[in-house]
Amino acid sequence: MNLAIALYLRDYLQQAGAIVVMTRETDNDLADTATRPIAKRKTEDLLKRVQFVKEHDANMLVSIHMNSMPSARWKGAQTFYYPNHPDNRLLATLIQEEIKRNLENTNRVASKVNTVYLLRALDDIPAALVEVGFLSNPGEAERLADAEYQRQVAASIYQGILRYSAGEKLEPDPPAQP
């Protein structure tokens, strides 16, 4: 499901003339096949993703994920950023606004996150991580398995990227009240 959304997004971007480089186009991670245990595989996969992005001289990174929690009550997509590049908040916010507008599945706003290695390690390009929904929520998991919904998710991310690429800016935050 996650890869399907990424592939739809790739197609939309390429149709618009973008050069898209995927860290993966099959349902495999980037770790060596012999690497064990799972924690070591995940670490190796992340290190190789960062290396891949840097080697391909990317202009932007959008990482797509699906969330899961012990409770089924959580739902809705959310976009995250790490504030190590001046455009990360903007990119994440524009993507999140399009998700809210098009999917109507969340009231969440783009949020700063400090714990995502992939975002912290890439400080020379705009980067955002999109959690497109919760697999632990049965209704959302069912929607995420639907190809049409996957296309809608990808189209929402695409529209946020287009707004960013067109130079759209955010309204400044209002001043804090004394």
Side-chain angles (χ1 to χ4, degrees), residues 82-99:
Y82 183 73
N84 59 348
H85 187 280
D87 285 352
N88 287 355
R89 178 176 166 266
L90 173 63
L91 175 62
T93 298
L94 295 174
I95 290 171
Q96 186 66 24
E97 285 178 358
E98 290 300 318
I99 286 171

Side-chain angles (χ1 to χ4, degrees), residues 28-38 40-41 44-45 48:
N28 299 310
D29 64 21
L30 300 184
D32 293 331
T33 55
T35 302
R36 299 281 183 264
I38 191 74
K40 190 172 181 181
R41 281 193 73 76
E44 184 177 321
D45 176 64
K48 286 189 173 187

